[in-house]
Amino acid sequence: MDFTFTEEQQAAAEAARGVFAGVAPDDVPSPALTRGAVADDFDRALWARLASADLLSLLLDEEFGGAGLDAIALCLVLREASKVLARVPLLENSAAVAALQAYGGPELKSSLLARAGRGEIVLTVAANGRTGHDPAELAVTARQHDTADGSGGSGGTDRAGESDRARGAGEGYQTGTADGQGVGGPGEPGGAEWVLDGVQTVVPWAYDADFVVVPARTEDDRSVLAVVARGHEGVVLAEQISTTGERLGELRLESARIADRDVVTADGAWQWLRALLTTGTCAQALGLGERVLAMTSEYVGKREQFGHPIASFQAVAVQAADRYIDLRAMEVTLWQAAWRIAAGTPGALPASGDVAVAKIWASEGVRRVVQTAQHLHGGFGADVDYPLHRYHAWAKHLELSLGPAAAHEEALGDLLAAHPLG
């Protein structure tokens, strides 16, 4: 195990710092003052800059125009993104293309990966299940059957280059290419298709992404990943709003027919994708926590009481020191999990054990960091003209994303029971 970053990984982090240098966390209305979503779309200008810096294709192989880097490089970039609360689907898009590259078929790869790496299309992942507490793959059923007339999977869409970004709230809508094909288009005559039914809740960027990667469960109890075009027939979206003020979507699949080539059936694909998403969420929590602690340090160093900076008071210093320890624990467990995913090295526990430990620390650590920051800032912490309240809202969202600490503690306990140590 070596946590020294390679030159390529460090270069990715440096490029990310350059791209995010001009991003302000309060460029959109405060979620505390907004009834609905803070914006109709994610930051498309920032997305274009990320594409120009080749940061959307980090995990793609050279044949798809990528740099061929790993989960560690992605986490370094996500760490920088969260310091400025970057409003882009960087984690979801990167994780989705990485999973499709590792487990998808040739036709699916050729139709999506290069375009996603260039920022021409956007992918997201439905990873929270029906309620946010149950396994995501159990929220949708997938059944397969042959099609004699080749009509399966109709209603697909390829929205790259569209100027009219059709939108809908609480209802389904369709768009398509000139020939009606692209991913999710008509199947081959006499081929097979999949029929999906179920609900996935709080899907990030659901109204803005072109395709959603949806985990589902088959009749023989296997997990598959279906790549579903946002405007596909049988897809219905209902608006949800996160604590950050971002627009999420409840995704309903009502007998949505998906071409066989757009479904990934390889063993372990969903488990690997979820592990990468969870680890990336931990990287976001770390970056956010580091920025919040830096803000707090700057504030307590200037704020004076009784003629002295409050940073010189023992009670303040001890609280800040405890939060620094939280961040270092979050950091070491994050790199352990990212390294296990990147290297594929066997250990005493499966890699999912390291991911669970990282998420436990990330969930509890980021909550403690922002709570201490609010306390030490006093009234400034709640002032909507000061950005700390935004970081608090994002921290709460990250704490609960893909399962709170308790859920991962339970998963870790199950792993320890199945793989006794010593």
Side-chain angles (χ1 to χ4, degrees), residues 117-175:
R118 294 192 297 266
E120 297 171 0
I121 58 172
V122 178
L123 283 72
T124 189
V125 184
N128 288 290
R130 186 180 183 90
T131 65
H133 299 284
D134 54 338
E137 69 275 17
L138 301 183
V140 175
T141 61
R143 62 185 187 277
Q144 189 179 28
H145 64 86
D146 292 331
T147 57
D149 58 1
S151 61
S154 61
T157 181
D158 180 348
R159 301 177 63 253
E162 275 187 26
S163 58
D164 180 17
R165 306 191 64 81
R167 300 193 180 281
E171 60 183 5
Y173 51 94
Q174 264 188 274
T175 57

Side-chain angles (χ1 to χ4, degrees), residues 187-214:
E188 295 297 330
E193 65 180 10
W194 294 79
V195 180
L196 272 57
D197 287 282
V199 177
Q200 293 280 358
T201 193
V202 293
V203 180
W205 316 109
Y207 281 88
D208 309 308
D210 301 288
F211 300 99
V212 183
V213 178
V214 181

Side-chain angles (χ1 to χ4, degrees), residues 204-236:
W205 316 109
Y207 281 88
D208 309 308
D210 301 288
F211 300 99
V212 183
V213 178
V214 181
R217 204 68 167 176
T218 66
E219 295 174 308
D220 56 353
D221 204 30
R222 292 183 298 116
S223 295
V224 298
L225 295 174
V227 181
V228 181
R230 181 168 60 89
H232 196 89
E233 184 179 356
V235 174
V236 180

Side-chain angles (χ1 to χ4, degrees), residues 3-277:
F3 286 165
T4 303
F5 300 125
T6 66
E7 291 184 7
E8 292 81 4
Q9 291 165 348
Q10 294 179 44
E14 183 63 30
R17 282 189 286 271
V19 171
F20 295 124
V23 178
D26 53 0
D27 272 349
V28 293
S30 167
L33 302 176
T34 309
R35 281 184 174 273
V38 295
D40 291 334
D41 200 355
F42 63 82
D43 192 336
R44 294 278 174 177
L46 177 58
W47 192 249
R49 295 200 297 273
L50 288 168
S52 298
D54 296 326
L55 292 175
L56 301 183
S57 57
L58 278 180
L59 305 188
L60 293 177
D61 293 337
E62 288 186 11
E63 64 177 299
F64 301 114
L69 297 183
D70 56 18
I72 296 173
L74 175 62
C75 287
L76 284 168
V77 174
L78 291 169
R79 181 186 192 179
E80 298 301 322
S82 64
K83 290 179 181 179
V84 297
L85 306 184
R87 301 181 50 260
V88 287
L90 181 59
L91 169 58
E92 295 80 10
N93 187 77
S94 299
V97 298
L100 296 181
Q101 176 176 254
Y103 295 95
E107 193 172 358
L108 188 59
K109 294 179 186 180
S110 63
S111 65
L112 287 182
L113 298 190
R115 290 191 296 156
R118 294 192 297 266
E120 297 171 0
I121 58 172
V122 178
L123 283 72
T124 189
V125 184
N128 288 290
R130 186 180 183 90
T131 65
H133 299 284
D134 54 338
E137 69 275 17
L138 301 183
V140 175
T141 61
R143 62 185 187 277
Q144 189 179 28
H145 64 86
D146 292 331
T147 57
D149 58 1
S151 61
S154 61
T157 181
D158 180 348
R159 301 177 63 253
E162 275 187 26
S163 58
D164 180 17
R165 306 191 64 81
R167 300 193 180 281
E171 60 183 5
Y173 51 94
Q174 264 188 274
T175 57
T177 60
D179 60 5
Q181 300 197 28
V183 171
E188 295 297 330
E193 65 180 10
W194 294 79
V195 180
L196 272 57
D197 287 282
V199 177
Q200 293 280 358
T201 193
V202 293
V203 180
W205 316 109
Y207 281 88
D208 309 308
D210 301 288
F211 300 99
V212 183
V213 178
V214 181
R217 204 68 167 176
T218 66
E219 295 174 308
D220 56 353
D221 204 30
R222 292 183 298 116
S223 295
V224 298
L225 295 174
V227 181
V228 181
R230 181 168 60 89
H232 196 89
E233 184 179 356
V235 174
V236 180
L237 284 177
E239 186 179 72
Q240 298 175 310
I241 306 296
S242 75
T243 59
T244 65
E246 299 297 337
R247 183 161 66 159
L248 310 174
E250 180 188 78
L251 178 73
R252 289 185 174 272
L253 298 166
E254 301 174 348
S255 297
R257 297 177 178 271
I258 310 300
D260 184 63
R261 64 172 177 266
D262 299 333
V263 178
V264 178
T265 60
D267 290 340
W270 164 237
Q271 289 76 12
W272 187 88
L273 173 55
R274 180 177 172 82
L276 182 56
L277 286 168

